[in-house]
């Protein structure tokens, strides 16, 4: 028998216990021995629990778990940075393996935690920390390990994907779509970690560190959220054959990596364009395998529970057969992270200009002087003195695009720069 303890019994913790209860016999066969949930740590002793538990299982004191030498595996499902980080590191130092769904702790302290795990010869698994129920960590570490991964594009945040899908399909503004997401429980009361792109950034930091075998400092990631995306941009994207998605991107270049999160135009034919609502997906390109896409539920009690229980089974099996594989935790190499300014991208640019002769040539001169060439131009003919102008560029260094914007802003005929959104293409598309 292997004794485990769960830290946290909220949404995911309850799902994990439900799956373990339902699949107990099957799990026992897979692990090769019985798994016993010895203790569950919670905070609030007045809370009614979703799942009935024997009173001796619940504890409010983490030492009951950390000091019990018979507990070999800790499942951290509390969330947040502290005390989760403290409990995880203490558990490892005491020779316990850890399963966690905590993207924040893994993105920030992953290297340090894995080093500690190697030193203490225990296992740390975190499948549920990225894209909930979608298996991606283990596929990257194992099934795809023969490849040089060249790029990863993820729709890793269900809340923002839900909002953008609503805006696209129902032609509603951002605020209204956010309200709807909050009403349905897809968005939190303070949605900023999602809408400002931080949640997706933690996740792409974790994926990139595994795919590119490097140490990724979450602070080095370029992050733009979706708050600046308007219904007007969504409609224009549609007219031009695109949809707008919040993409988390990790790309390998000859001289380094670039990791970023921002809204992007993608062709309606791109596999990620079909990922709608609260669903998540990861599209990646490996030099041997080619295109791979994984799609599914990126959050929720049972999908996330599915990933956590899979990790529990795997680690427990390794404990049971005494084959803890600390080697696969891999010591990272340091690869250079390239600044976004040095990256080539196509751009969608929406500006407002005075409707008078010569304006278009002034705009194209500024762009041309900065090596920005255009692949599409759309100018609506309206009976107003100020008209919208929409441009799609060929790939150009971001630095040049930024310089053009600055110069365009200073042209008298340019009334307003409305928006600049990157246009992303598939590896071979
Ligand atoms: N929810 C999802 O769909 C989802 C998806 C992917 C990943 N995750 C990750 O899974 C983890 C858990 O998320 P969740 O949604 O299940 O959170 P949750 O519903 O808020 O549950 C958190 C649990 O942790 C307990 N807890 C919090 N702080 C504690 C402390 N200081 N001491 C003892 N217990 C404490 C809470 O105790 P009380 O019950 O007593 O308050 C509660 O049972 C997070 O890292 C999250 O990012 C969640």
């Amino acid at each position: 028998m292997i004794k485990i303890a769960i830290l946290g019994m909220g949404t995911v913790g309850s799902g994990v216990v439900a799956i373990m209860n339902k699949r107990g016999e099957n799990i026992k066969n897979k692990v090769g021995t019985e798994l016993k949930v010895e203790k569950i740590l919670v905070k609030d002793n007045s809370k009614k629990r979703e799942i009935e538990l024997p009173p001796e299982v619940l504890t409010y004191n983490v030492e009951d778990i950390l000091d019990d030498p018979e507990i070999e595996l800790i499942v951290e499902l509390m969330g947040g940075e502290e005390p989760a980080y403290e409990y995880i590191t203490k558990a490892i130092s005491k020779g316990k393996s850890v399963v966690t769904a905590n993207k924040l702790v893994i993105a920030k302290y992953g290297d340090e935690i894995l080093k500690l795990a190697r030193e203490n010869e225990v296992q740390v698994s975190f499948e549920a920390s990225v894209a909930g129920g979608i298996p991606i960590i283990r596929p990257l570490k194992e099934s795809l390990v023969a490849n040089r991964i060249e790029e990863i594009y993820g729709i890793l945040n269900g809340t923002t994907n839900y909002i953008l899908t609503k805006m696209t399909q129902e032609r509603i503004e951002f605020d209204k779509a956010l309200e709807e997401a909050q009403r349905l429980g897809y968005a939190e009361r303070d949605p900023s970690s999602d809408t400002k792109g931080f949640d997706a950034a933690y996740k792409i930091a974790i994926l990139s560190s595994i795919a590119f075998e490097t140490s990724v400092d979450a602070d080095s990631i370029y992050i733009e959220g979706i708050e600046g995306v308007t219904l007007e941009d969504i409609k224009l994207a549609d007219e031009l054959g695109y949809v707008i998605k919040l993409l988390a991107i990790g790309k390998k270049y000859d001289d380094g990596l670039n990791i970023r999160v921002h809204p992007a135009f993608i062709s309606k034919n791109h596999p990620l364009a079909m990922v709608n609502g609260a669903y998540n997906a990861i599209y990646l390109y490996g030099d041997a395998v080619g295109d791979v896409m994984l799609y599914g539920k990126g959050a929720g009690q049972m999908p996330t529970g599915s990933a956590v229980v899979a990790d529990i089974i795997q680690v427990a099996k390794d404990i049971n057969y005494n084959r803890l594989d600390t080697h696969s935790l891999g010591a990272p190499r340091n690869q250079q992270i390239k600044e976004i300014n040095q990256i080539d991208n196509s751009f969608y640019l929406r500006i407002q200009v005075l409707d008078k002769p010569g304006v278009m040539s002034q705009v194209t001169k500024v762009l041309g002087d900065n090596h920005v060439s255009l692949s599409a131009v759309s100018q609506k003919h309206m009976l107003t003195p100020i008209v919208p102008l929409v441009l799609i560029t060929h790939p150009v260094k971001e630095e040049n695009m930024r310089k053009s914007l600055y110069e365009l802003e200073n042209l008298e005929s340019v009334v307003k720069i409305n928006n600049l959104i990157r246009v992303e293409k598939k590896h071979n598309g």
Side-chain angles (χ1 to χ4, degrees), residues 8-13 41-44 47 49 77-79 83 101-103 128 132 298-301 304:
M9 182 67 177
T11 306
V12 182
L41 178 76
V42 285
K43 192 171 52 176
D44 181 351
K47 224 185 226 178
R49 301 287 154 193
L77 301 171
M78 300 189 301
N102 195 322
K103 66 204 158 219
Q301 181 165 68
T304 311

PDB file of all heavy atoms in Angstrom, residues 8-13 41-44 47 49 77-79 83 101-103 128 132 298-301 304, ligand 1:
ATOM      1  N   GLY A   8      -5.382  20.519  -0.135  1.00  0.00           N
ATOM      2  CA  GLY A   8      -6.430  21.247  -0.836  1.00  0.00           C
ATOM      3  C   GLY A   8      -7.535  20.322  -1.297  1.00  0.00           C
ATOM      4  O   GLY A   8      -7.277  19.270  -1.890  1.00  0.00           O
ATOM      5  N   MET A   9      -8.757  20.737  -0.987  1.00  0.00           N
ATOM      6  CA  MET A   9      -9.919  19.905  -1.328  1.00  0.00           C
ATOM      7  C   MET A   9     -10.997  20.821  -1.906  1.00  0.00           C
ATOM      8  O   MET A   9     -12.139  20.826  -1.471  1.00  0.00           O
ATOM      9  CB  MET A   9     -10.378  19.219  -0.030  1.00  0.00           C
ATOM     10  CG  MET A   9     -11.517  18.275  -0.145  1.00  0.00           C
ATOM     11  SD  MET A   9     -11.047  16.848  -1.094  1.00  0.00           S
ATOM     12  CE  MET A   9     -12.567  15.933  -0.951  1.00  0.00           C
ATOM     13  N   GLY A  10     -10.577  21.645  -2.883  1.00  0.00           N
ATOM     14  CA  GLY A  10     -11.530  22.537  -3.554  1.00  0.00           C
ATOM     15  C   GLY A  10     -12.023  21.883  -4.821  1.00  0.00           C
ATOM     16  O   GLY A  10     -12.309  20.679  -4.844  1.00  0.00           O
ATOM     17  N   THR A  11     -12.098  22.663  -5.906  1.00  0.00           N
ATOM     18  CA  THR A  11     -12.629  22.158  -7.175  1.00  0.00           C
ATOM     19  C   THR A  11     -11.843  20.919  -7.636  1.00  0.00           C
ATOM     20  O   THR A  11     -12.421  19.850  -7.848  1.00  0.00           O
ATOM     21  CB  THR A  11     -12.519  23.260  -8.253  1.00  0.00           C
ATOM     22  OG1 THR A  11     -13.155  24.428  -7.751  1.00  0.00           O
ATOM     23  CG2 THR A  11     -13.156  22.841  -9.551  1.00  0.00           C
ATOM     24  N   VAL A  12     -10.538  21.060  -7.772  1.00  0.00           N
ATOM     25  CA  VAL A  12      -9.749  19.958  -8.340  1.00  0.00           C
ATOM     26  C   VAL A  12      -9.584  18.817  -7.324  1.00  0.00           C
ATOM     27  O   VAL A  12      -9.742  17.647  -7.673  1.00  0.00           O
ATOM     28  CB  VAL A  12      -8.369  20.462  -8.831  1.00  0.00           C
ATOM     29  CG1 VAL A  12      -7.581  19.315  -9.452  1.00  0.00           C
ATOM     30  CG2 VAL A  12      -8.535  21.589  -9.839  1.00  0.00           C
ATOM     31  N   GLY A  13      -9.301  19.183  -6.067  1.00  0.00           N
ATOM     32  CA  GLY A  13      -9.127  18.160  -5.033  1.00  0.00           C
ATOM     33  C   GLY A  13     -10.337  17.238  -4.957  1.00  0.00           C
ATOM     34  O   GLY A  13     -10.201  16.004  -4.883  1.00  0.00           O
ATOM     35  N   LEU A  41      -5.375  18.080   3.551  1.00  0.00           N
ATOM     36  CA  LEU A  41      -5.211  19.363   4.243  1.00  0.00           C
ATOM     37  C   LEU A  41      -6.204  20.384   3.687  1.00  0.00           C
ATOM     38  O   LEU A  41      -6.310  20.565   2.471  1.00  0.00           O
ATOM     39  CB  LEU A  41      -3.788  19.904   4.017  1.00  0.00           C
ATOM     40  CG  LEU A  41      -3.505  21.265   4.646  1.00  0.00           C
ATOM     41  CD1 LEU A  41      -3.295  21.134   6.159  1.00  0.00           C
ATOM     42  CD2 LEU A  41      -2.287  21.927   3.999  1.00  0.00           C
ATOM     43  N   VAL A  42      -6.941  21.046   4.559  1.00  0.00           N
ATOM     44  CA  VAL A  42      -7.816  22.157   4.163  1.00  0.00           C
ATOM     45  C   VAL A  42      -7.600  23.304   5.152  1.00  0.00           C
ATOM     46  O   VAL A  42      -6.855  23.174   6.126  1.00  0.00           O
ATOM     47  CB  VAL A  42      -9.309  21.738   4.122  1.00  0.00           C
ATOM     48  CG1 VAL A  42      -9.616  20.897   2.908  1.00  0.00           C
ATOM     49  CG2 VAL A  42      -9.714  21.034   5.394  1.00  0.00           C
ATOM     50  N   LYS A  43      -8.297  24.427   4.887  1.00  0.00           N
ATOM     51  CA  LYS A  43      -8.064  25.621   5.690  1.00  0.00           C
ATOM     52  C   LYS A  43      -9.255  25.950   6.566  1.00  0.00           C
ATOM     53  O   LYS A  43      -9.134  26.294   7.723  1.00  0.00           O
ATOM     54  CB  LYS A  43      -7.792  26.765   4.693  1.00  0.00           C
ATOM     55  CG  LYS A  43      -7.251  28.011   5.294  1.00  0.00           C
ATOM     56  CD  LYS A  43      -6.824  28.994   4.210  1.00  0.00           C
ATOM     57  CE  LYS A  43      -7.902  29.267   3.186  1.00  0.00           C
ATOM     58  NZ  LYS A  43      -7.571  30.262   2.194  1.00  0.00           N
ATOM     59  N   ASP A  44     -10.441  25.815   5.962  1.00  0.00           N
ATOM     60  CA  ASP A  44     -11.652  26.326   6.589  1.00  0.00           C
ATOM     61  C   ASP A  44     -12.447  25.157   7.207  1.00  0.00           C
ATOM     62  O   ASP A  44     -13.002  24.337   6.483  1.00  0.00           O
ATOM     63  CB  ASP A  44     -12.463  27.024   5.480  1.00  0.00           C
ATOM     64  CG  ASP A  44     -13.749  27.621   5.993  1.00  0.00           C
ATOM     65  OD1 ASP A  44     -14.105  27.359   7.157  1.00  0.00           O
ATOM     66  OD2 ASP A  44     -14.408  28.334   5.218  1.00  0.00           O
ATOM     67  N   LYS A  47     -16.417  24.694   6.403  1.00  0.00           N
ATOM     68  CA  LYS A  47     -16.913  24.443   5.041  1.00  0.00           C
ATOM     69  C   LYS A  47     -17.548  23.077   4.896  1.00  0.00           C
ATOM     70  O   LYS A  47     -17.015  22.086   5.401  1.00  0.00           O
ATOM     71  CB  LYS A  47     -15.742  24.547   4.070  1.00  0.00           C
ATOM     72  CG  LYS A  47     -16.057  25.325   2.823  1.00  0.00           C
ATOM     73  CD  LYS A  47     -14.880  25.257   1.888  1.00  0.00           C
ATOM     74  CE  LYS A  47     -14.561  26.618   1.318  1.00  0.00           C
ATOM     75  NZ  LYS A  47     -13.388  26.572   0.440  1.00  0.00           N
ATOM     76  N   ARG A  49     -18.087  19.948   2.791  1.00  0.00           N
ATOM     77  CA  ARG A  49     -17.277  19.328   1.737  1.00  0.00           C
ATOM     78  C   ARG A  49     -18.154  18.620   0.713  1.00  0.00           C
ATOM     79  O   ARG A  49     -19.149  17.977   1.074  1.00  0.00           O
ATOM     80  CB  ARG A  49     -16.281  18.337   2.345  1.00  0.00           C
ATOM     81  CG  ARG A  49     -15.318  18.963   3.339  1.00  0.00           C
ATOM     82  CD  ARG A  49     -14.277  19.829   2.663  1.00  0.00           C
ATOM     83  NE  ARG A  49     -13.774  20.870   3.568  1.00  0.00           N
ATOM     84  CZ  ARG A  49     -13.052  21.909   3.176  1.00  0.00           C
ATOM     85  NH1 ARG A  49     -12.766  22.057   1.912  1.00  0.00           N
ATOM     86  NH2 ARG A  49     -12.634  22.809   4.039  1.00  0.00           N
ATOM     87  N   LEU A  77      -2.866  20.747  -4.304  1.00  0.00           N
ATOM     88  CA  LEU A  77      -3.976  21.325  -5.077  1.00  0.00           C
ATOM     89  C   LEU A  77      -4.571  22.526  -4.344  1.00  0.00           C
ATOM     90  O   LEU A  77      -5.789  22.721  -4.321  1.00  0.00           O
ATOM     91  CB  LEU A  77      -5.058  20.250  -5.310  1.00  0.00           C
ATOM     92  CG  LEU A  77      -4.576  19.003  -6.070  1.00  0.00           C
ATOM     93  CD1 LEU A  77      -5.617  17.907  -6.062  1.00  0.00           C
ATOM     94  CD2 LEU A  77      -4.206  19.369  -7.507  1.00  0.00           C
ATOM     95  N   MET A  78      -3.688  23.317  -3.735  1.00  0.00           N
ATOM     96  CA  MET A  78      -4.160  24.512  -3.024  1.00  0.00           C
ATOM     97  C   MET A  78      -4.156  25.715  -3.958  1.00  0.00           C
ATOM     98  O   MET A  78      -4.996  26.586  -3.882  1.00  0.00           O
ATOM     99  CB  MET A  78      -3.226  24.830  -1.848  1.00  0.00           C
ATOM    100  CG  MET A  78      -3.132  23.717  -0.836  1.00  0.00           C
ATOM    101  SD  MET A  78      -2.236  24.251   0.627  1.00  0.00           S
ATOM    102  CE  MET A  78      -0.694  24.695  -0.077  1.00  0.00           C
ATOM    103  N   GLY A  79      -3.146  25.775  -4.824  1.00  0.00           N
ATOM    104  CA  GLY A  79      -2.987  26.918  -5.716  1.00  0.00           C
ATOM    105  C   GLY A  79      -2.267  28.062  -5.025  1.00  0.00           C
ATOM    106  O   GLY A  79      -2.015  28.028  -3.823  1.00  0.00           O
ATOM    107  N   PRO A  83       1.153  29.195   0.792  1.00  0.00           N
ATOM    108  CA  PRO A  83       2.256  28.349   1.251  1.00  0.00           C
ATOM    109  C   PRO A  83       2.550  27.152   0.342  1.00  0.00           C
ATOM    110  O   PRO A  83       3.326  26.278   0.744  1.00  0.00           O
ATOM    111  CB  PRO A  83       1.768  27.866   2.620  1.00  0.00           C
ATOM    112  CG  PRO A  83       0.281  27.775   2.478  1.00  0.00           C
ATOM    113  CD  PRO A  83      -0.114  28.864   1.517  1.00  0.00           C
ATOM    114  N   ALA A 101      -0.788  20.764  -9.509  1.00  0.00           N
ATOM    115  CA  ALA A 101      -1.463  21.386 -10.655  1.00  0.00           C
ATOM    116  C   ALA A 101      -1.156  22.876 -10.685  1.00  0.00           C
ATOM    117  O   ALA A 101      -1.811  23.640 -11.381  1.00  0.00           O
ATOM    118  CB  ALA A 101      -2.979  21.172 -10.526  1.00  0.00           C
ATOM    119  N   ASN A 102      -0.117  23.262  -9.923  1.00  0.00           N
ATOM    120  CA  ASN A 102       0.119  24.681  -9.653  1.00  0.00           C
ATOM    121  C   ASN A 102       1.062  25.318 -10.685  1.00  0.00           C
ATOM    122  O   ASN A 102       2.279  25.239 -10.574  1.00  0.00           O
ATOM    123  CB  ASN A 102       0.728  24.784  -8.248  1.00  0.00           C
ATOM    124  CG  ASN A 102       0.688  26.174  -7.709  1.00  0.00           C
ATOM    125  OD1 ASN A 102       0.879  27.133  -8.435  1.00  0.00           O
ATOM    126  ND2 ASN A 102       0.432  26.281  -6.415  1.00  0.00           N
ATOM    127  N   LYS A 103       0.471  25.976 -11.686  1.00  0.00           N
ATOM    128  CA  LYS A 103       1.292  26.565 -12.772  1.00  0.00           C
ATOM    129  C   LYS A 103       2.179  27.690 -12.260  1.00  0.00           C
ATOM    130  O   LYS A 103       3.302  27.876 -12.718  1.00  0.00           O
ATOM    131  CB  LYS A 103       0.395  27.094 -13.895  1.00  0.00           C
ATOM    132  CG  LYS A 103      -0.442  28.266 -13.443  1.00  0.00           C
ATOM    133  CD  LYS A 103      -1.692  28.492 -14.211  1.00  0.00           C
ATOM    134  CE  LYS A 103      -2.611  29.294 -13.305  1.00  0.00           C
ATOM    135  NZ  LYS A 103      -3.975  28.944 -13.348  1.00  0.00           N
ATOM    136  N   ALA A 128      -1.191  18.638 -14.844  1.00  0.00           N
ATOM    137  CA  ALA A 128      -2.399  19.479 -14.818  1.00  0.00           C
ATOM    138  C   ALA A 128      -2.083  20.972 -14.752  1.00  0.00           C
ATOM    139  O   ALA A 128      -2.987  21.796 -14.859  1.00  0.00           O
ATOM    140  CB  ALA A 128      -3.268  19.088 -13.627  1.00  0.00           C
ATOM    141  N   GLY A 132      -5.023  21.952 -18.225  1.00  0.00           N
ATOM    142  CA  GLY A 132      -5.940  21.076 -17.481  1.00  0.00           C
ATOM    143  C   GLY A 132      -5.918  19.630 -17.917  1.00  0.00           C
ATOM    144  O   GLY A 132      -4.951  18.905 -17.683  1.00  0.00           O
ATOM    145  N   GLY A 298      -9.353  22.645 -20.917  1.00  0.00           N
ATOM    146  CA  GLY A 298      -8.174  23.173 -20.235  1.00  0.00           C
ATOM    147  C   GLY A 298      -8.401  23.445 -18.765  1.00  0.00           C
ATOM    148  O   GLY A 298      -7.504  23.883 -18.062  1.00  0.00           O
ATOM    149  N   ALA A 299      -9.613  23.203 -18.290  1.00  0.00           N
ATOM    150  CA  ALA A 299      -9.907  23.438 -16.876  1.00  0.00           C
ATOM    151  C   ALA A 299     -11.151  22.645 -16.508  1.00  0.00           C
ATOM    152  O   ALA A 299     -11.695  21.914 -17.331  1.00  0.00           O
ATOM    153  CB  ALA A 299     -10.129  24.922 -16.612  1.00  0.00           C
ATOM    154  N   GLY A 300     -11.561  22.817 -15.255  1.00  0.00           N
ATOM    155  CA  GLY A 300     -12.756  22.115 -14.788  1.00  0.00           C
ATOM    156  C   GLY A 300     -12.375  20.974 -13.876  1.00  0.00           C
ATOM    157  O   GLY A 300     -11.267  20.431 -13.953  1.00  0.00           O
ATOM    158  N   GLN A 301     -13.316  20.632 -13.009  1.00  0.00           N
ATOM    159  CA  GLN A 301     -13.039  19.656 -11.954  1.00  0.00           C
ATOM    160  C   GLN A 301     -12.563  18.302 -12.481  1.00  0.00           C
ATOM    161  O   GLN A 301     -11.504  17.817 -12.091  1.00  0.00           O
ATOM    162  CB  GLN A 301     -14.325  19.469 -11.147  1.00  0.00           C
ATOM    163  CG  GLN A 301     -14.175  18.511 -10.014  1.00  0.00           C
ATOM    164  CD  GLN A 301     -15.332  18.639  -9.050  1.00  0.00           C
ATOM    165  OE1 GLN A 301     -16.466  18.302  -9.379  1.00  0.00           O
ATOM    166  NE2 GLN A 301     -15.041  19.132  -7.873  1.00  0.00           N
ATOM    167  N   THR A 304      -9.367  18.359 -15.104  1.00  0.00           N
ATOM    168  CA  THR A 304      -8.106  18.604 -14.391  1.00  0.00           C
ATOM    169  C   THR A 304      -7.810  17.422 -13.473  1.00  0.00           C
ATOM    170  O   THR A 304      -6.657  16.972 -13.365  1.00  0.00           O
ATOM    171  CB  THR A 304      -8.185  19.922 -13.584  1.00  0.00           C
ATOM    172  OG1 THR A 304      -8.694  20.938 -14.457  1.00  0.00           O
ATOM    173  CG2 THR A 304      -6.838  20.343 -13.062  1.00  0.00           C
TER     174      THR A 304
HETATM  175  N1  LIG B   1     -10.021  24.737 -11.209  1.00  0.00           N
HETATM  176  C1  LIG B   1      -9.515  24.345 -12.373  1.00  0.00           C
HETATM  177  O1  LIG B   1     -10.234  24.104 -13.336  1.00  0.00           O
HETATM  178  C2  LIG B   1      -8.023  24.178 -12.512  1.00  0.00           C
HETATM  179  C3  LIG B   1      -7.487  23.808 -13.762  1.00  0.00           C
HETATM  180  C4  LIG B   1      -6.103  23.588 -13.880  1.00  0.00           C
HETATM  181  C5  LIG B   1      -5.300  23.790 -12.794  1.00  0.00           C
HETATM  182  N2  LIG B   1      -5.855  24.184 -11.598  1.00  0.00           N
HETATM  183  C6  LIG B   1      -4.960  24.384 -10.466  1.00  0.00           C
HETATM  184  O2  LIG B   1      -5.319  23.491  -9.434  1.00  0.00           O
HETATM  185  C7  LIG B   1      -5.038  24.069  -8.164  1.00  0.00           C
HETATM  186  C8  LIG B   1      -6.299  24.021  -7.293  1.00  0.00           C
HETATM  187  O3  LIG B   1      -7.313  24.780  -7.910  1.00  0.00           O
HETATM  188  P1  LIG B   1      -8.839  24.731  -7.399  1.00  0.00           P
HETATM  189  O4  LIG B   1      -9.635  25.385  -8.464  1.00  0.00           O
HETATM  190  O5  LIG B   1      -9.194  23.367  -6.969  1.00  0.00           O
HETATM  191  O6  LIG B   1      -8.750  25.701  -6.129  1.00  0.00           O
HETATM  192  P2  LIG B   1      -9.851  25.903  -4.987  1.00  0.00           P
HETATM  193  O7  LIG B   1     -11.177  25.399  -5.428  1.00  0.00           O
HETATM  194  O8  LIG B   1      -9.748  27.319  -4.555  1.00  0.00           O
HETATM  195  O9  LIG B   1      -9.361  24.951  -3.784  1.00  0.00           O
HETATM  196  C9  LIG B   1      -8.241  25.238  -3.035  1.00  0.00           C
HETATM  197  C10 LIG B   1      -8.199  24.294  -1.847  1.00  0.00           C
HETATM  198  O10 LIG B   1      -6.982  24.505  -1.140  1.00  0.00           O
HETATM  199  C11 LIG B   1      -7.249  24.734   0.235  1.00  0.00           C
HETATM  200  N3  LIG B   1      -6.294  25.717   0.717  1.00  0.00           N
HETATM  201  C12 LIG B   1      -5.979  26.915   0.163  1.00  0.00           C
HETATM  202  N4  LIG B   1      -5.037  27.541   0.896  1.00  0.00           N
HETATM  203  C13 LIG B   1      -4.769  26.728   1.941  1.00  0.00           C
HETATM  204  C14 LIG B   1      -3.906  26.815   3.061  1.00  0.00           C
HETATM  205  N5  LIG B   1      -3.113  27.876   3.245  1.00  0.00           N
HETATM  206  N6  LIG B   1      -3.875  25.779   3.930  1.00  0.00           N
HETATM  207  C15 LIG B   1      -4.664  24.702   3.752  1.00  0.00           C
HETATM  208  N7  LIG B   1      -5.512  24.563   2.710  1.00  0.00           N
HETATM  209  C16 LIG B   1      -5.565  25.567   1.824  1.00  0.00           C
HETATM  210  C17 LIG B   1      -8.662  25.260   0.307  1.00  0.00           C
HETATM  211  O11 LIG B   1      -9.168  24.954   1.595  1.00  0.00           O
HETATM  212  P3  LIG B   1     -10.694  25.270   2.046  1.00  0.00           P
HETATM  213  O12 LIG B   1     -11.533  24.341   1.214  1.00  0.00           O
HETATM  214  O13 LIG B   1     -10.742  24.913   3.469  1.00  0.00           O
HETATM  215  O14 LIG B   1     -10.927  26.702   1.740  1.00  0.00           O
HETATM  216  C18 LIG B   1      -9.330  24.489  -0.828  1.00  0.00           C
HETATM  217  O15 LIG B   1      -9.781  23.252  -0.379  1.00  0.00           O
HETATM  218  C19 LIG B   1      -4.507  25.471  -8.469  1.00  0.00           C
HETATM  219  O16 LIG B   1      -3.104  25.448  -8.511  1.00  0.00           O
HETATM  220  C20 LIG B   1      -5.060  25.753  -9.836  1.00  0.00           C
HETATM  221  O17 LIG B   1      -4.287  26.705 -10.580  1.00  0.00           O
HETATM  222  C21 LIG B   1      -7.180  24.369 -11.431  1.00  0.00           C
END
